[in-house]
Amino acid sequence: METITKKEIESRGFNSAQAQRIFQNAKIYMVREKKCDFYSGRKVQRVPIYAVERLLGMELENG
């Protein structure tokens, strides 16, 4: 499974606040929709790319 960090989201053209919001929403998606309680932890630094792509409604370019 491919994963992505907040910094990698920023490197794809989003500002810091947008990247943080996208990252947080991806974690929430993983907990609520996919039932993966692991992502509810504060120290989790990576989320699956497919969660971010689903939230954005588009595929991310390879970074």
Side-chain angles (χ1 to χ4, degrees):
M1 169 177 27
E2 291 185 63
T3 60
I4 192 167
T5 65
K6 181 178 112 44
K7 291 289 184 191
E8 292 170 339
I9 295 171
E10 285 180 36
S11 73
R12 293 199 163 89
F14 296 95
N15 68 38
S16 181
Q18 290 171 326
Q20 180 66 34
R21 195 172 317 115
I22 291 166
F23 187 80
Q24 287 175 342
N25 286 335
K27 285 176 64 172
I28 291 168
Y29 168 77
M30 292 302 295
V31 171
R32 291 184 182 167
E33 301 294 325
K34 296 295 184 178
K35 309 294 187 220
C36 296
D37 290 333
F38 167 78
Y39 291 100
S40 64
R42 289 183 334 163
K43 293 186 178 185
V44 174
Q45 299 291 314
R46 298 187 150 276
V47 293
I49 287 181
Y50 73 81
V52 173
E53 290 175 338
R54 183 190 172 281
L55 290 171
L56 296 176
M58 63 181 200
E59 285 190 30
L60 296 175
E61 297 176 7
N62 291 335

